[in-house]
Amino acid sequence: MRAVAQHRIEAVMAEVRRQQFTGTSSDRTATARVSSSGIVLDIELSNGFGDPRQPQWAAAAGVNSTACAIVEAVNAARVAAAQALAGGFSDEFRHR
């Protein structure tokens, strides 16, 4: 019985591991893509990152809002990953 449960757990984990998850900040200025384990794979800013030597968002007024948008987008993507895993377990172990 324990081996069967372990196999079912591993199957759910394997399915979610193949996925990537996207989140967007509430102001839609940042979008992040993460792996199933929450590792950040990509971040996009709606206005772009600008010149790497002098990015437009690095002005004092823009740093805080840009940083907050990035954090919000990454958190949203990680929540999506956690919900997918929880949903997978719920579906797999729902009492039948």
Side-chain angles (χ1 to χ4, degrees), residues 4-17 19 21 36 80-96:
V4 171
Q6 184 63 35
H7 177 70
R8 292 170 70 188
I9 290 168
E10 289 171 3
V12 170
M13 297 291 288
E15 176 62 31
V16 173
R17 227 178 264 122
Q19 300 177 38
F21 302 90
S36 62
Q83 288 174 336
L85 186 58
F89 284 135
S90 178
D91 291 346
E92 184 63 31
F93 290 98
R94 182 176 295 129
H95 294 286
R96 297 172 188 180

Side-chain angles (χ1 to χ4, degrees), residues 5-87:
Q6 184 63 35
H7 177 70
R8 292 170 70 188
I9 290 168
E10 289 171 3
V12 170
M13 297 291 288
E15 176 62 31
V16 173
R17 227 178 264 122
R18 287 191 287 271
Q19 300 177 38
Q20 295 178 359
F21 302 90
T22 302
T24 303
S25 62
S26 59
D27 64 3
R28 312 209 52 81
T29 61
T31 301
R33 189 169 45 94
V34 302
S35 69
S36 62
S37 63
I39 295 171
V40 176
L41 303 172
D42 185 48
I43 294 172
E44 293 180 16
L45 298 177
S46 61
N47 294 330
F49 281 91
D51 182 346
R53 293 176 304 248
Q54 190 175 15
Q56 60 195 43
W57 55 267
V63 171
N64 189 47
S65 62
T66 301
C68 287
I70 290 170
V71 168
E72 189 176 356
V74 169
N75 285 344
R78 288 177 173 164
V79 165
Q83 288 174 336
L85 186 58

